Amino acid sequence: MTDSSKIIDGKAFAEGLRARVATLAAAFERAAGRKAGLAVVLVGEDPASQVYVRSKGKQTVACGMASFEHKLPEDTTQEALLALVRRLNEDATVDGILVQLPLPRHLDEQAVVEAISPAKDVDGLTPVSTGRLALGLPGLVPCTPLGSLMLLKDRLGSLSGLDAVVIGRSILVGKPMAQLLLSESCTVTIAHSRTKNLADVVRRADIVVAAVGRAEMVKGDWLKPGATVIDVGINRVPALDAVAAAERKTRLVGDVDFASAVAVAGAITPVPGGVGPMTIAVLLRNALVAAHANAGIALGADAI
Ligand code: GUN
């Protein structure tokens, strides 16, 4: 039997965050005389990206913000995409710009991200946002790591002095996650695919953030008893049931082997229902923070 008090319910936390965003979005509209606006750009037909973008649009509107969706064909040129980003930079009704990644291979992702105005960088991926995070200055922070940090602080309170291991060094999750944990005064180790004796490194940690993209890689016996485990992985694997698997049915699993990990961990995020729902909720939060800054309306540092 799984002890349900160990499960970190990201879905419930994300619902609460979206409710707070909606209240503040209504107040913003009254103060600014317009809705906060979020633009999402999708290039091509990637099915997973289409699902995300649809969901982002729906949740943006549900929170009382304006959603602008720009769907461009797969063969869009670099120049056309950059021209759209520049137009959105100039558009006063747009507070946040998110270009859905990955982009088709012929496009230069870095150049597109760098074209986004830092004031509208709700993904926190521009060099200005990344640099501010590294310097410990306020700014827009990537959504998945910020959502993971919110779940950690909600569960643990102060993180000061705790040993944290982040597995994965991506720009989207691993690196910003490590910076955020460092700013909370954790002792941070960034592990990755070349790390020696990974299990031993993970076993030292009070906090484990798994963001490697390898299904069920982190096992229960890698964990220090009582550790808090944040599983950022979303991996599609064949269904457990042999008949369903033969029908090519799939299931979602994280980077952590949940069944063995939950027995050892003090707290753990499930997949699905853990970190996943936080990403869009934090995106909406970031859009609202950007809207206040863009409109010159104060928002308390800890308002949301
Ligand atoms: N693709 C998967 N996750 C993300 C994200 O957080 N931001 C962007 N822009 N693209 C993504």
Side-chain angles (χ1 to χ4, degrees):
M1 261 283 283
T2 299
D3 176 357
S4 65
S5 68
K6 286 187 175 185
I7 309 293
I8 298 175
D9 188 346
K11 191 159 170 276
F13 192 97
E15 270 168 29
L17 178 56
R18 286 201 308 269
R20 296 197 293 284
V21 169
T23 303
L24 291 167
F28 175 84
E29 187 176 355
R30 286 194 296 277
R34 66 170 180 86
K35 286 183 192 290
L38 174 62
V40 176
V41 179
L42 173 63
V43 184
E45 310 281 328
D46 179 65
S49 292
Q50 284 178 328
V51 172
Y52 285 135
V53 166
R54 206 172 313 130
S55 187
K56 281 171 192 162
K58 271 194 200 155
Q59 292 188 34
T60 303
V61 171
C63 275
M65 299 198 258
S67 170
F68 307 99
E69 275 182 31
H70 295 269
K71 293 190 176 155
L72 304 180
E74 180 84 24
D75 62 357
T76 297
T77 63
Q78 182 78 9
E79 290 67 32
L81 181 55
L82 287 174
L84 172 60
V85 170
R86 290 191 192 111
R87 195 146 49 76
L88 295 171
N89 284 341
E90 298 300 318
D91 186 339
T93 64
V94 172
D95 295 294
I97 303 169
L98 179 141
V99 178
Q100 184 68 29
L101 304 176
L103 289 170
R105 290 247 292 277
H106 67 281
L107 295 170
D108 179 349
E109 217 160 80
Q110 188 58 31
V112 172
V113 168
E114 286 191 28
I116 296 170
S117 163
K120 301 190 177 187
D121 178 23
V122 285
D123 247 342
L125 295 178
T126 61
V128 169
S129 301
T130 311
R132 292 186 70 87
L133 179 60
L135 291 168
L137 297 173
L140 292 163
V141 175
C143 303
T144 302
L146 182 53
S148 300
L149 185 73
M150 286 177 179
L151 294 178
L152 281 168
K153 288 172 77 170
D154 183 58
R155 176 60 67 136
L156 297 174
S158 169
L159 309 184
S160 181
L162 296 179
D163 282 309
V165 170
V166 179
I167 316 172
R169 53 178 155 176
S170 70
I171 308 283
L172 217 49
V173 182
K175 283 186 188 170
M177 187 76 237
Q179 297 282 4
L180 286 172
L181 291 165
L182 188 58
S183 69
E184 296 295 329
S185 301
C186 290
T187 303
V188 182
T189 303
I190 306 179
H192 46 77
S193 55
R194 303 282 180 88
T195 297
K196 284 183 279 178
N197 305 324
L198 181 58
D200 291 337
V201 173
V202 171
R203 216 170 275 122
R204 292 202 299 262
D206 304 302
I207 293 170
V208 179
V209 180
V212 260
R214 301 240 326 249
E216 300 179 318
M217 186 181 83
V218 177
K219 308 296 182 195
D221 65 3
W222 293 22
L223 299 174
K224 173 158 130 180
T228 304
V229 180
I230 301 290
D231 189 352
V232 180
I234 301 178
N235 308 286
R236 212 164 257 293
V237 298
L240 279 178
D241 178 80
V243 177
E247 290 169 354
R248 297 194 175 275
K249 291 209 172 111
T250 59
R251 66 196 165 99
L252 287 182
V253 297
D255 291 348
V256 178
D257 177 26
F258 185 86
S260 64
V262 74
V264 184
I268 182 168
T269 58
V271 176
V275 173
M278 290 298 290
T279 298
I280 296 180
V282 175
L283 173 69
L284 302 175
R285 177 256 180 215
N286 281 356
L288 193 72
V289 169
H292 281 79
N294 294 340
I297 297 173
L299 183 68
D302 294 321
I304 192 160

